[in-house]
């Protein structure tokens, strides 16, 4: 039996884990603030007898979904799961219990779970009950699909993706202020999919005043993100698209205003008001905002701010990832807006630096993205 397991390790573990990964990502946008997880159950002869993934927040976890979908009893089979099975009671009972009750003989795990309620305990429980466990299969890929969850569970604050579209000469609008459209349809569809995958979308009041955006996801079968408007002095027009649709799309306005009469007008429209103190810059304290949003189980935010908010977000250290959609166009214009404004850094060595960068072609446009290297910015 050990020899058979070793042969299967070499030939098939990665294949089945990739199947589980393909299932896991189907939960994106629906399971937050939980992780995305996929599971596949396989017989020793290579037959897949069940698949499952975590489909909705509060619903069955991937392991229990796979067991529910079994085409035959899973006794003696192997389960491939992208994340360590949970061993605690939350909205669902422990998956370790379901695995042990099923008679599964082997469990192959991609990522360990950093949640302190799990953190190796799930694997230990399985082994203590005689289940053979193999760890770390396609670990990097399994870690990558839960980058948001890992950040949120370890910090309690949302994972922030700063996104913008710009021309090849670094402009986000013409000098007249007009910005529609910088990128083509394929890039814009990509952005809408991104909106559907992240829990919240954040913009500054300047963007609301300039563009009157809706900030929704317009792709079928997706959910709208929670809209978060950073509005220090409550300048969002009550007849803006944001305020007018607040009863239909969850909308939070983060403000330092104490004007109760003004606040009530927004609340009557359906907006939630979060009162946030000012930072030394005179704008709302973005770190405090992230702490409050995290406490409300908002695990991820797409930052679609203008240059002022983007600089404030970088300066405050809340940005985790940058996604720049670059169009092969040139706008020119000394006063045309750029994606990051503010004071800026003092010299090139102080620049914010991205690591693990990738370039993706989207029609005629290019997406350049990477994670922010928090250790390279020496001063601002």
């Amino acid at each position: 039996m050990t020899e058979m397991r070793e042969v299967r390790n070499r030939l098939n573990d990665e294949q089945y884990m990739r199947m589980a990964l393909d299932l896991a990502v189907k939960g994106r946008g629906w399971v937050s603030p939980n992780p995305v997880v996929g599971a596949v159950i396989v017989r020793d002869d290579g037959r897949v007898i069940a698949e499952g993934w975590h489909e909705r927040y509060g619903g069955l976890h991937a392991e229990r979904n796979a067991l529910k979908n079994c085409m035959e009893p899973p006794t003696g089979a192997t389960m491939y799961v992208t994340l360590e099975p949970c061993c605690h009671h939350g909205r669902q009972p422990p998956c370790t219990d379901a695995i042990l009750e099923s008679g599964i003989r082997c469990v192959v795990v991609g990522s360990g779970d950093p949640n302190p309620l799990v953190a190796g305990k799930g694997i230990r429980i399985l082994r203590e009950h005689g289940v053979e466990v193999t760890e770390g299969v396609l670990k990097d890929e399994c870690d990558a699909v839960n980058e948001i969850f890992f950040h949120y569970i370890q910090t309690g604050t949302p994972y922030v993706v700063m996104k913008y579209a710009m021309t090849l000469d670094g402009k986000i609008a013409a000098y007249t202020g007009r910005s529609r459209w910088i990128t083509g349809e394929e890039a814009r569809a990509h952005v809408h999919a991104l909106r559907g995958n992240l829990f919240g979308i954040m913009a500054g009041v300047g963007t609301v005043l300039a563009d009157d955006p809706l900030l929704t996801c317009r792709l079928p079968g997706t959910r709208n993100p929670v809209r978060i408007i950073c509005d220090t002095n409550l300048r969002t027009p009550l007849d803006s698209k944001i305020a007018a649709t607040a009863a239909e799309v969850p909308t939070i306005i983060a403000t330092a205003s104490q004007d109760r009469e003004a606040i009530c007008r927004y609340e009557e429209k359906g907006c939630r008001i979060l009162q946030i103190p000012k930072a030394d810059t005179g704008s709302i304290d973005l770190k405090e905002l992230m702490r409050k949003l995290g406490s409300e189980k908002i695990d991820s935010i797409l930052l679609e701010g203008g240059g002022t908010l983007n600089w404030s977000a970088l300066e405050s250290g809340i940005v985790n990832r940058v996604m720049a959609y670059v169009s092969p166009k040139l706008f020119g214009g000394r006063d045309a807006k750029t994606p990051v404004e503010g004071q800026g850094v003092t010299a090139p060595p102080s620049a914010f630096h991205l690591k693990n960068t990738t370039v993706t072609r989207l029609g005629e446009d290019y997406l350049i993205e990477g994670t922010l290297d928090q250790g390279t910015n020496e001063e601002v």
Side-chain angles (χ1 to χ4, degrees):
M1 187 172 294
T2 301
E3 289 180 0
M4 181 182 297
R5 171 69 181 147
E6 288 176 353
V7 171
R8 193 179 66 239
N9 271 343
R10 290 196 305 272
L11 299 179
N12 297 326
D13 278 0
E14 292 189 358
Q15 171 191 344
Y16 294 123
M17 190 61 75
R18 284 199 171 87
M19 291 176 61
L21 278 166
D22 289 342
L23 295 168
V25 297
K26 293 183 177 183
R28 279 182 175 159
W30 298 104
V31 302
S32 298
N34 284 348
V36 295
V37 185
V40 176
I41 300 176
V42 184
R43 285 286 179 202
D44 279 344
D45 60 6
R47 288 184 300 115
V48 175
I49 62 170
E51 297 178 346
W53 68 93
H54 188 21
E55 299 175 10
R56 292 289 189 279
Y57 176 66
L60 290 177
H61 290 182
E63 299 93 325
R64 288 182 178 270
N65 262 330
L67 290 167
K68 180 190 70 174
N69 295 334
C70 274
M71 296 181 289
E72 60 185 70
T75 306
T78 297
M79 175 181 284
Y80 292 83
V81 61
T82 55
L83 185 70
E84 177 182 0
C86 67
C87 55
H88 65 287
H89 283 270
R91 286 178 171 261
Q92 292 291 329
C95 288
T96 49
D97 289 355
I99 292 169
L100 294 174
E101 290 165 4
S102 73
I104 290 284
R105 180 171 58 84
C106 302
V107 175
V108 180
V109 177
S111 298
D113 190 338
N115 186 340
L117 296 174
V118 186
K121 301 183 187 74
I123 289 171
R124 187 178 70 243
I125 287 170
L126 293 176
R127 284 177 171 155
E128 286 174 350
H129 286 81
V131 176
E132 181 183 342
V133 180
T134 299
E135 301 177 63
V137 173
L138 295 185
K139 182 181 185 303
D140 290 345
E141 291 92 327
C142 291
D143 287 353
V145 299
N146 274 313
E147 189 173 29
I148 288 171
F149 171 72
F150 288 178
H151 171 86
Y152 178 71
I153 202 68
Q154 291 170 325
T155 67
T157 59
Y159 185 90
V160 177
V161 178
M162 188 172 83
K163 165 264 165 187
Y164 53 83
M166 70 177 188
T167 61
L168 202 57
D169 57 342
K171 308 298 184 181
I172 60 172
Y175 78 93
T176 59
R178 295 177 63 179
S179 60
R180 296 183 180 176
W181 295 104
I182 291 176
T183 54
E185 290 185 6
E186 191 170 337
R188 297 202 299 274
H190 193 274
V191 170
H192 279 282
L194 184 62
R195 287 181 179 182
N197 286 340
L198 300 180
F199 199 106
I201 182 169
M202 188 164 81
V205 67
T207 297
V208 176
L209 292 170
D211 299 334
D212 193 21
L214 197 54
L215 300 182
T216 55
C217 181
R218 294 160 210 160
L219 297 179
T222 56
R223 50 166 288 281
N224 281 321
V226 175
R227 301 181 301 197
I228 304 149
I229 306 302
C230 296
D231 186 356
T232 304
N233 299 307
L234 277 186
R235 296 188 294 139
T236 298
L238 288 169
D239 61 353
S240 65
K241 291 176 183 175
I242 293 289
T245 59
E248 305 156 23
V249 181
T251 302
I252 295 171
I253 296 182
T255 183
S257 173
Q258 301 292 322
D259 186 338
R260 190 62 223 169
E261 184 177 340
I263 288 171
C264 285
R265 288 195 290 269
Y266 289 99
E267 290 176 335
E268 288 169 1
K269 288 281 190 177
C271 300
R272 280 193 56 212
I273 301 295
L274 272 186
Q275 291 184 303
I276 306 294
K278 289 183 180 180
D280 293 341
T281 60
S283 299
I284 59 170
D285 186 330
L286 292 178
K287 283 190 173 180
E288 179 59 25
L289 175 59
M290 292 304 108
R291 284 190 284 269
K292 285 200 174 184
L293 294 175
S295 70
E296 298 195 7
K297 296 186 176 181
I298 295 177
D299 67 346
S300 53
I301 290 173
L302 181 62
L303 175 58
E304 291 202 21
T308 300
L309 181 57
N310 284 348
W311 170 254
S312 296
L314 285 169
E315 192 178 28
S316 66
I318 68 167
V319 177
N320 301 104
R321 189 171 189 82
V322 175
M323 299 181 69
Y325 295 81
V326 183
S327 171
K329 299 173 183 175
L330 303 170
F331 279 4
R334 179 185 55 217
D335 299 322
K337 296 288 187 181
T338 60
V340 182
E341 296 180 354
Q343 181 179 4
V345 301
T346 57
S350 302
F352 293 90
H353 186 263
L354 301 185
K355 60 183 180 180
N356 303 322
T357 54
T358 61
V359 179
T360 305
R361 185 163 185 170
L362 299 168
E364 292 186 350
D365 306 309
Y366 293 87
L367 169 61
I368 302 173
E369 59 184 315
T371 54
L372 204 67
D373 189 345
Q374 302 289 352
T376 58
N377 178 251
E378 297 175 3
E379 61 175 8
V380 293

